[in-house]
Amino acid sequence: MATSQIAVIVLLGLLVATNIHITEAQLGVCYGMMGNNLPSHSEVIQLYKSRNIGRLRLYDPNHGALNALRGSNIEVILGLPNVDVKHIASGMEHARWWVQKNVKDFWPDVKIKYIAVGNEISPVTGTSSLTSFQVPALVNIYKAVGEAGLGNDIKVSTSVDMTLIGNSYPPSQGSFRNDVRWFTDPIVGFLRDTRAPLLVNIYPYFSYSGNPGQISLPYALFTAPNVVVQDGSRQYRNLFDAMLDSVYAAMERTGGGSVGIVVSESGWPSAGAFGATQDNAATYLRNLIQHAKEGSPRKPGPIETYIFAMFDENNKNPELEKHFGLFSPNKQPKYNLNFGVSERVWDISAETNSTASSLISEM
């Protein structure tokens, strides 16, 4: 066999291994747009592609971004923003219109995987006025997606945060707050009946920064050398797993034991508040991306996880919210990440594609 052919086989083998590595991690990145200095939509999607980021979360159906996504093969969580939830809940005609204009008009060129109906709507936060519209909006969008012939392709869910959890310690005793069960139980039931996952925003940073006396930094950063929480036969060395498994336990207590979880946001700020440093953010992100391939003690296996966020966004408040980006607005990476979907692996994959193509063309 010619040397060039052997080289191609080796390179293609490396490429396949790299792509499998990325697929195993099931990682995406959230594309927030609350900045006045961000790249164009086409530049952003090209950055996702060049870095082999195969999943993306959009917080609203921005048509510029959706058009840029056409033909990219990037899987998308498409957000139906909170401001539209009440309107969508008020009638099927509104849900049909929304699905036609923002989903069907882009399908199948854009690989929409989930529709997130609302983000962090909760009876115990400033979004409490929307809570009575949450389930009706979910049902209407689910029906509209089905009527559009996409019921087998797109799952309809909502994204929640940890404020709904009343008890999270130990994780096996996780439960929803008693005063929100009227809100969470119907959501869990809807997801169970439609076989859709719950989207959960999980931030060990906020748990740590709000309670540093009780939660150690290594436990929050995945760097604890020993077991921190022994929960029956399950051992916890990091806070992310404990938080995730407490939500699984809470759903099981409300009849949702079969409902999966997609981690729809997780990240660590690099500035702007206590514990928000470049080093801490790099450590958390590096370890999160590695850990996403492994799963939690309760649910071993890859965890579909979306890192928040693609860019620093200078129009967000308070200050720490401006500093969650993997990239600066000039598209330069903030971190030298060395893990499953790292700067290094992304670059190697791009180079391997180019080199393999060159060698093949010469054979």
Side-chain angles (χ1 to χ4, degrees):
M1 184 179 291
T3 302
S4 61
Q5 290 176 306
I6 295 172
V8 169
I9 291 170
V10 171
L11 282 166
L12 290 177
L14 286 171
L15 180 59
V16 170
T18 302
N19 286 338
I20 289 172
H21 201 42
I22 292 167
T23 302
E24 285 175 349
Q26 296 190 1
L27 287 160
V29 180
C30 301
Y31 177 14
M33 301 182 193
M34 295 184 66
N36 61 14
N37 56 354
L38 300 180
S40 68
H41 300 307
S42 59
E43 289 179 277
V44 172
I45 301 310
Q46 184 55 45
L47 185 59
Y48 272 78
K49 290 164 66 176
S50 70
R51 303 295 183 169
N52 282 334
I53 306 173
R55 292 173 170 85
L56 175 153
R57 180 179 178 185
L58 275 180
Y59 289 90
D60 64 83
N62 181 290
H63 283 199
L66 287 168
N67 277 315
L69 280 161
R70 289 185 186 274
S72 67
N73 214 35
I74 294 172
E75 294 183 345
V76 178
I77 297 178
L78 178 61
L80 188 156
N82 291 356
V83 293
D84 292 337
V85 167
K86 182 177 180 180
H87 182 64
I88 296 300
S90 67
M92 272 301 299
E93 66 276 16
H94 305 308
R96 291 188 189 102
W97 181 90
W98 194 95
V99 168
Q100 178 65 51
K101 295 297 182 183
N102 302 309
V103 179
K104 199 167 183 184
D105 282 358
F106 294 94
W107 183 271
D109 294 345
V110 179
K111 293 183 65 175
I112 298 165
K113 186 176 184 181
Y114 307 110
I115 297 174
V117 179
N119 183 51
E120 297 185 347
I121 293 173
S122 168
V124 294
T125 67
T127 58
S128 60
S129 64
L130 296 175
T131 51
S132 62
F133 306 108
Q134 175 72 85
V135 171
L138 280 168
V139 170
N140 285 352
I141 290 293
Y142 172 76
K143 289 179 178 177
V145 167
E147 289 177 7
L150 300 174
N152 292 328
D153 300 294
I154 300 173
K155 296 295 185 182
V156 177
S157 185
T158 188
S159 189
V160 302
D161 62 17
M162 296 296 293
T163 63
L164 299 176
I165 298 296
N167 182 54
S168 60
Y169 182 88
S172 63
Q173 298 304 305
S175 60
F176 292 113
R177 291 172 50 142
N178 287 332
D179 58 350
V180 304
R181 287 285 299 274
W182 66 268
F183 173 70
T184 57
D185 285 14
I187 293 173
V188 172
F190 168 84
L191 298 174
R192 179 194 62 227
D193 295 344
T194 62
R195 300 184 179 181
L198 179 65
L199 311 180
V200 185
N201 299 339
I202 296 180
Y203 285 95
Y205 167 76
F206 290 112
S207 296
Y208 161 71
S209 63
N211 197 11
Q214 297 295 318
I215 297 172
S216 73
L217 182 61
Y219 187 51
L221 293 178
F222 299 92
T223 58
N226 301 306
V227 173
V228 177
V229 174
Q230 184 75 45
D231 184 8
S233 62
R234 300 185 183 116
Q235 299 180 328
Y236 291 85
R237 294 173 181 264
N238 67 80
L239 182 55
F240 177 89
D241 278 351
M243 295 172 74
L244 176 62
D245 281 0
S246 72
V247 182
Y248 272 120
M251 288 201 294
E252 188 167 314
R253 280 187 165 73
T254 59
S258 63
V259 178
I261 289 176
V262 170
V263 178
S264 45
E265 286 182 17
S266 193
W268 196 287
S270 59
F274 173 79
T277 68
Q278 191 88 2
D279 285 345
N280 285 348
T283 299
Y284 180 79
L285 292 167
R286 180 181 303 117
N287 291 329
L288 172 65
I289 292 177
Q290 177 64 31
H291 187 72
K293 296 180 294 183
E294 302 167 5
S296 68
R298 191 182 187 99
K299 297 280 186 178
I303 309 165
E304 187 172 350
T305 302
Y306 292 76
I307 297 170
F308 186 86
M310 194 64 169
F311 299 102
D312 285 343
E313 299 171 63
N314 64 358
N315 284 343
K316 299 196 76 172
N317 285 299
E319 181 64 25
L320 88 162
E321 295 283 350
K322 305 179 193 290
H323 303 284
F324 274 90
L326 295 181
F327 293 85
S328 298
N330 64 3
K331 300 188 288 186
Q332 292 303 304
K334 290 169 59 180
Y335 311 105
N336 180 24
L337 302 175
N338 182 21
F339 41 69
V341 188
S342 69
E343 289 305 301
R344 209 162 297 168
V345 171
W346 286 333
D347 291 342
I348 288 171
S349 180
E351 291 166 8
T352 302
N353 268 309
S354 175
T355 306
S357 298
S358 176
L359 282 169
I360 289 169
S361 69
E362 293 170 5
M363 286 176 62

